[in-house]
Amino acid sequence: GNLCKKHNIHFHCDAVQAVGKITVNLKELPIDSLSMSAHKIYGPKGVGCLYLREGVNIPPLILGGSQEFGMRSGTENVAGIVGFGIAAKIVQEDLQLNFTKTEYLRDLFLTNLHAEIEDCLINGDIHANVPSTINIQFSGIRGESLASMLNELGICVSIASACSSTSSKLSHVLKAIGKTDDEIRSSIRISIGALTTEDEINQLVRHLKHSVVRLRSFSPKYQIPV
């Protein structure tokens, strides 16, 4: 942000995975614009927010009317906006409580995971991320197969970021941190929310172990010689 400011470059931050999970103070952060989404903080789907620092001007998205300070023409989603505002108020009040709970559940999950399943590795630095999202690779299997098996058990995980879940391309983020194609293909993303329970974490580990063992039974690397 400071580098952009030095060279007069507009700095936009997509903060949908940060707002409501960690402290975001726009009085301190050198950000020109920031976007967030209501459904990421348990508000209504279909409504978002764009923050623009005072003095920052961008062209309108839709021309023709004066709604939303002239930035976007059309009738506002009033119910969505009100719901977003209330959700933002609640999530801010519960920010530290939810962070502490999520961190505890994340640590519980990882402790049990490593105790029950061999050859699994966290992608990224566990001490420099939000505790609500974990990306893990399971050697010897394909992530989409594991995700499909878990889905049959009522457990939703992802093999890509939500905004590119239909893309067949490998994650450019995992590539950027040095993961091989095979490591990326064997990875899934797991999210923990404010409503997640300890019992659900234990169920997840149990079903993960069963699914991983079953999938690895088809891998030459894990087959037991007769």
Side-chain angles (χ1 to χ4, degrees), residues 14 16-17 40 133 135 157-174 184 187-191:
D14 176 354
V16 297
Q17 288 286 13
K40 291 291 186 181
T133 307
N135 197 291
V157 300
S158 177
I159 56 172
S161 61
C163 51
S164 62
S165 58
T166 59
S167 173
S168 60
K169 294 181 179 179
L170 296 177
S171 168
H172 67 277
V173 177
L174 294 183
I184 296 172
S187 298
I188 63 169
R189 178 172 55 88
I190 295 170
S191 298

mmCIF file of all heavy atoms in Angstrom, residues 14 16-17 40 133 135 157-174 184 187-191:
data_model
loop_
_atom_site.group_PDB
_atom_site.id
_atom_site.type_symbol
_atom_site.label_atom_id
_atom_site.label_comp_id
_atom_site.label_asym_id
_atom_site.label_seq_id
_atom_site.Cartn_x
_atom_site.Cartn_y
_atom_site.Cartn_z
ATOM 1 N N ASP A 14 -9.256 -6.801 -1.985
ATOM 2 C CA ASP A 14 -10.397 -7.719 -1.882
ATOM 3 C C ASP A 14 -10.324 -8.341 -0.493
ATOM 4 O O ASP A 14 -9.515 -9.227 -0.238
ATOM 5 C CB ASP A 14 -10.292 -8.779 -2.979
ATOM 6 C CG ASP A 14 -11.388 -9.830 -2.893
ATOM 7 O OD1 ASP A 14 -12.173 -9.804 -1.910
ATOM 8 O OD2 ASP A 14 -11.470 -10.686 -3.790
ATOM 9 N N VAL A 16 -12.852 -9.867 1.384
ATOM 10 C CA VAL A 16 -14.015 -10.664 1.796
ATOM 11 C C VAL A 16 -13.651 -11.769 2.784
ATOM 12 O O VAL A 16 -14.486 -12.184 3.588
ATOM 13 C CB VAL A 16 -14.753 -11.277 0.575
ATOM 14 C CG1 VAL A 16 -15.322 -10.193 -0.322
ATOM 15 C CG2 VAL A 16 -13.844 -12.200 -0.212
ATOM 16 N N GLN A 17 -12.398 -12.264 2.745
ATOM 17 C CA GLN A 17 -11.997 -13.312 3.674
ATOM 18 C C GLN A 17 -11.357 -12.750 4.939
ATOM 19 O O GLN A 17 -10.968 -13.513 5.827
ATOM 20 C CB GLN A 17 -11.017 -14.282 2.989
ATOM 21 C CG GLN A 17 -11.655 -15.183 1.953
ATOM 22 C CD GLN A 17 -12.489 -16.300 2.573
ATOM 23 O OE1 GLN A 17 -12.798 -16.292 3.755
ATOM 24 N NE2 GLN A 17 -12.847 -17.276 1.768
ATOM 25 N N LYS A 40 -20.226 -13.503 3.739
ATOM 26 C CA LYS A 40 -19.017 -13.980 4.412
ATOM 27 C C LYS A 40 -19.035 -13.685 5.911
ATOM 28 O O LYS A 40 -18.230 -14.231 6.667
ATOM 29 C CB LYS A 40 -17.770 -13.349 3.787
ATOM 30 C CG LYS A 40 -17.465 -13.825 2.375
ATOM 31 C CD LYS A 40 -17.019 -15.271 2.361
ATOM 32 C CE LYS A 40 -16.572 -15.709 0.981
ATOM 33 N NZ LYS A 40 -16.147 -17.124 0.955
ATOM 34 N N THR A 133 -9.433 -20.778 7.628
ATOM 35 C CA THR A 133 -9.220 -21.452 6.346
ATOM 36 C C THR A 133 -7.914 -22.238 6.367
ATOM 37 O O THR A 133 -6.865 -21.695 6.720
ATOM 38 C CB THR A 133 -9.185 -20.434 5.191
ATOM 39 O OG1 THR A 133 -10.353 -19.622 5.236
ATOM 40 C CG2 THR A 133 -9.139 -21.147 3.852
ATOM 41 N N ASN A 135 -5.575 -25.085 4.015
ATOM 42 C CA ASN A 135 -5.375 -25.797 2.756
ATOM 43 C C ASN A 135 -4.393 -26.940 3.018
ATOM 44 O O ASN A 135 -3.281 -26.705 3.502
ATOM 45 C CB ASN A 135 -4.833 -24.848 1.686
ATOM 46 C CG ASN A 135 -4.986 -25.410 0.290
ATOM 47 O OD1 ASN A 135 -4.319 -26.383 -0.067
ATOM 48 N ND2 ASN A 135 -5.860 -24.813 -0.505
ATOM 49 N N VAL A 157 -16.142 -29.466 1.340
ATOM 50 C CA VAL A 157 -14.794 -28.905 1.245
ATOM 51 C C VAL A 157 -14.603 -28.458 -0.198
ATOM 52 O O VAL A 157 -15.443 -28.713 -1.053
ATOM 53 C CB VAL A 157 -13.698 -29.926 1.640
ATOM 54 C CG1 VAL A 157 -13.899 -30.399 3.072
ATOM 55 C CG2 VAL A 157 -13.679 -31.107 0.687
ATOM 56 N N SER A 158 -13.500 -27.797 -0.473
ATOM 57 C CA SER A 158 -13.265 -27.281 -1.812
ATOM 58 C C SER A 158 -11.874 -27.672 -2.299
ATOM 59 O O SER A 158 -10.974 -27.922 -1.497
ATOM 60 C CB SER A 158 -13.406 -25.759 -1.829
ATOM 61 O OG SER A 158 -13.123 -25.233 -3.107
ATOM 62 N N ILE A 159 -11.725 -27.725 -3.620
ATOM 63 C CA ILE A 159 -10.404 -27.995 -4.192
ATOM 64 C C ILE A 159 -9.815 -26.738 -4.817
ATOM 65 O O ILE A 159 -8.762 -26.768 -5.410
ATOM 66 C CB ILE A 159 -10.449 -29.122 -5.247
ATOM 67 C CG1 ILE A 159 -11.456 -28.777 -6.360
ATOM 68 C CG2 ILE A 159 -10.813 -30.441 -4.597
ATOM 69 C CD1 ILE A 159 -11.433 -29.737 -7.529
ATOM 70 N N ALA A 160 -10.536 -25.617 -4.704
ATOM 71 C CA ALA A 160 -10.053 -24.350 -5.258
ATOM 72 C C ALA A 160 -10.677 -23.225 -4.459
ATOM 73 O O ALA A 160 -11.496 -23.455 -3.572
ATOM 74 C CB ALA A 160 -10.426 -24.230 -6.740
ATOM 75 N N SER A 161 -10.291 -21.994 -4.767
ATOM 76 C CA SER A 161 -10.956 -20.864 -4.138
ATOM 77 C C SER A 161 -12.390 -20.808 -4.650
ATOM 78 O O SER A 161 -12.676 -21.233 -5.775
ATOM 79 C CB SER A 161 -10.235 -19.553 -4.473
ATOM 80 O OG SER A 161 -10.242 -19.329 -5.862
ATOM 81 N N ALA A 162 -13.291 -20.284 -3.841
ATOM 82 C CA ALA A 162 -14.708 -20.285 -4.205
ATOM 83 C C ALA A 162 -14.962 -19.528 -5.512
ATOM 84 O O ALA A 162 -15.843 -19.887 -6.284
ATOM 85 C CB ALA A 162 -15.526 -19.657 -3.072
ATOM 86 N N CYS A 163 -14.174 -18.482 -5.779
ATOM 87 C CA CYS A 163 -14.410 -17.680 -6.970
ATOM 88 C C CYS A 163 -13.881 -18.349 -8.239
ATOM 89 O O CYS A 163 -14.107 -17.866 -9.340
ATOM 90 C CB CYS A 163 -13.783 -16.295 -6.815
ATOM 91 S SG CYS A 163 -12.063 -16.323 -6.308
ATOM 92 N N SER A 164 -13.169 -19.472 -8.100
ATOM 93 C CA SER A 164 -12.676 -20.165 -9.292
ATOM 94 C C SER A 164 -12.915 -21.663 -9.198
ATOM 95 O O SER A 164 -12.178 -22.449 -9.764
ATOM 96 C CB SER A 164 -11.178 -19.892 -9.482
ATOM 97 O OG SER A 164 -10.442 -20.389 -8.381
ATOM 98 N N SER A 165 -13.971 -22.055 -8.464
ATOM 99 C CA SER A 165 -14.212 -23.463 -8.196
ATOM 100 C C SER A 165 -14.586 -24.249 -9.443
ATOM 101 O O SER A 165 -14.493 -25.466 -9.471
ATOM 102 C CB SER A 165 -15.314 -23.615 -7.144
ATOM 103 O OG SER A 165 -16.500 -22.990 -7.577
ATOM 104 N N THR A 166 -15.049 -23.550 -10.506
ATOM 105 C CA THR A 166 -15.400 -24.250 -11.740
ATOM 106 C C THR A 166 -14.245 -24.280 -12.733
ATOM 107 O O THR A 166 -14.359 -24.839 -13.811
ATOM 108 C CB THR A 166 -16.610 -23.581 -12.414
ATOM 109 O OG1 THR A 166 -16.291 -22.210 -12.695
ATOM 110 C CG2 THR A 166 -17.836 -23.626 -11.509
ATOM 111 N N SER A 167 -13.123 -23.689 -12.356
ATOM 112 C CA SER A 167 -11.975 -23.637 -13.249
ATOM 113 C C SER A 167 -11.152 -24.912 -13.135
ATOM 114 O O SER A 167 -10.963 -25.461 -12.061
ATOM 115 C CB SER A 167 -11.095 -22.419 -12.920
ATOM 116 O OG SER A 167 -9.903 -22.449 -13.662
ATOM 117 N N SER A 168 -10.661 -25.391 -14.279
ATOM 118 C CA SER A 168 -9.831 -26.594 -14.280
ATOM 119 C C SER A 168 -8.358 -26.259 -14.078
ATOM 120 O O SER A 168 -7.525 -27.152 -13.987
ATOM 121 C CB SER A 168 -10.016 -27.346 -15.606
ATOM 122 O OG SER A 168 -9.635 -26.514 -16.700
ATOM 123 N N LYS A 169 -8.044 -24.971 -14.030
ATOM 124 C CA LYS A 169 -6.656 -24.565 -13.856
ATOM 125 C C LYS A 169 -6.196 -24.821 -12.421
ATOM 126 O O LYS A 169 -6.969 -24.738 -11.477
ATOM 127 C CB LYS A 169 -6.502 -23.072 -14.187
ATOM 128 C CG LYS A 169 -6.747 -22.732 -15.645
ATOM 129 C CD LYS A 169 -6.542 -21.250 -15.898
ATOM 130 C CE LYS A 169 -6.759 -20.895 -17.359
ATOM 131 N NZ LYS A 169 -6.590 -19.443 -17.605
ATOM 132 N N LEU A 170 -4.922 -25.142 -12.284
ATOM 133 C CA LEU A 170 -4.356 -25.348 -10.962
ATOM 134 C C LEU A 170 -4.215 -24.005 -10.246
ATOM 135 O O LEU A 170 -4.019 -22.968 -10.867
ATOM 136 C CB LEU A 170 -2.999 -26.032 -11.082
ATOM 137 C CG LEU A 170 -2.997 -27.447 -11.670
ATOM 138 C CD1 LEU A 170 -1.562 -27.960 -11.785
ATOM 139 C CD2 LEU A 170 -3.823 -28.398 -10.829
ATOM 140 N N SER A 171 -4.305 -24.047 -8.925
ATOM 141 C CA SER A 171 -4.238 -22.828 -8.130
ATOM 142 C C SER A 171 -2.932 -22.069 -8.353
ATOM 143 O O SER A 171 -1.854 -22.593 -8.111
ATOM 144 C CB SER A 171 -4.368 -23.174 -6.639
ATOM 145 O OG SER A 171 -4.026 -22.068 -5.834
ATOM 146 N N HIS A 172 -3.045 -20.834 -8.822
ATOM 147 C CA HIS A 172 -1.837 -20.021 -9.038
ATOM 148 C C HIS A 172 -1.209 -19.618 -7.706
ATOM 149 O O HIS A 172 -0.013 -19.355 -7.632
ATOM 150 C CB HIS A 172 -2.177 -18.782 -9.873
ATOM 151 C CG HIS A 172 -3.078 -17.804 -9.166
ATOM 152 N ND1 HIS A 172 -4.444 -17.947 -9.136
ATOM 153 C CD2 HIS A 172 -2.799 -16.685 -8.461
ATOM 154 C CE1 HIS A 172 -4.981 -16.941 -8.453
ATOM 155 N NE2 HIS A 172 -4.002 -16.170 -8.027
ATOM 156 N N VAL A 173 -2.026 -19.605 -6.636
ATOM 157 C CA VAL A 173 -1.496 -19.267 -5.317
ATOM 158 C C VAL A 173 -0.589 -20.382 -4.808
ATOM 159 O O VAL A 173 0.520 -20.137 -4.329
ATOM 160 C CB VAL A 173 -2.650 -19.017 -4.317
ATOM 161 C CG1 VAL A 173 -2.090 -18.749 -2.927
ATOM 162 C CG2 VAL A 173 -3.506 -17.856 -4.774
ATOM 163 N N LEU A 174 -1.055 -21.636 -4.928
ATOM 164 C CA LEU A 174 -0.221 -22.760 -4.491
ATOM 165 C C LEU A 174 1.018 -22.891 -5.370
ATOM 166 O O LEU A 174 2.086 -23.268 -4.884
ATOM 167 C CB LEU A 174 -1.036 -24.059 -4.511
ATOM 168 C CG LEU A 174 -2.189 -24.130 -3.509
ATOM 169 C CD1 LEU A 174 -2.880 -25.492 -3.573
ATOM 170 C CD2 LEU A 174 -1.717 -23.859 -2.088
ATOM 171 N N ILE A 184 -0.572 -29.880 -5.705
ATOM 172 C CA ILE A 184 -1.766 -29.044 -5.832
ATOM 173 C C ILE A 184 -2.999 -29.902 -6.098
ATOM 174 O O ILE A 184 -4.068 -29.690 -5.523
ATOM 175 C CB ILE A 184 -1.584 -28.002 -6.952
ATOM 176 C CG1 ILE A 184 -0.451 -27.040 -6.597
ATOM 177 C CG2 ILE A 184 -2.881 -27.231 -7.197
ATOM 178 C CD1 ILE A 184 -0.057 -26.102 -7.718
ATOM 179 N N SER A 187 -4.642 -31.501 -3.024
ATOM 180 C CA SER A 187 -4.987 -30.565 -1.943
ATOM 181 C C SER A 187 -6.473 -30.241 -1.893
ATOM 182 O O SER A 187 -7.156 -30.222 -2.921
ATOM 183 C CB SER A 187 -4.195 -29.259 -2.105
ATOM 184 O OG SER A 187 -2.804 -29.483 -2.023
ATOM 185 N N ILE A 188 -6.959 -29.981 -0.695
ATOM 186 C CA ILE A 188 -8.319 -29.499 -0.493
ATOM 187 C C ILE A 188 -8.280 -28.319 0.471
ATOM 188 O O ILE A 188 -7.307 -28.128 1.209
ATOM 189 C CB ILE A 188 -9.263 -30.590 0.069
ATOM 190 C CG1 ILE A 188 -8.795 -31.056 1.462
ATOM 191 C CG2 ILE A 188 -9.389 -31.771 -0.885
ATOM 192 C CD1 ILE A 188 -9.809 -31.935 2.180
ATOM 193 N N ARG A 189 -9.341 -27.547 0.449
ATOM 194 C CA ARG A 189 -9.460 -26.392 1.357
ATOM 195 C C ARG A 189 -10.611 -26.633 2.321
ATOM 196 O O ARG A 189 -11.713 -26.981 1.906
ATOM 197 C CB ARG A 189 -9.687 -25.102 0.559
ATOM 198 C CG ARG A 189 -9.870 -23.859 1.432
ATOM 199 C CD ARG A 189 -9.880 -22.606 0.576
ATOM 200 N NE ARG A 189 -10.879 -22.670 -0.477
ATOM 201 C CZ ARG A 189 -12.149 -22.290 -0.328
ATOM 202 N NH1 ARG A 189 -12.581 -21.848 0.829
ATOM 203 N NH2 ARG A 189 -12.991 -22.355 -1.341
ATOM 204 N N ILE A 190 -10.350 -26.438 3.596
ATOM 205 C CA ILE A 190 -11.341 -26.646 4.647
ATOM 206 C C ILE A 190 -11.561 -25.323 5.380
ATOM 207 O O ILE A 190 -10.600 -24.636 5.731
ATOM 208 C CB ILE A 190 -10.872 -27.727 5.636
ATOM 209 C CG1 ILE A 190 -10.772 -29.078 4.924
ATOM 210 C CG2 ILE A 190 -11.800 -27.821 6.841
ATOM 211 C CD1 ILE A 190 -10.097 -30.158 5.732
ATOM 212 N N SER A 191 -12.816 -24.972 5.608
ATOM 213 C CA SER A 191 -13.137 -23.731 6.300
ATOM 214 C C SER A 191 -13.853 -24.014 7.619
ATOM 215 O O SER A 191 -14.688 -24.917 7.697
ATOM 216 C CB SER A 191 -14.017 -22.833 5.427
ATOM 217 O OG SER A 191 -13.337 -22.465 4.244
#
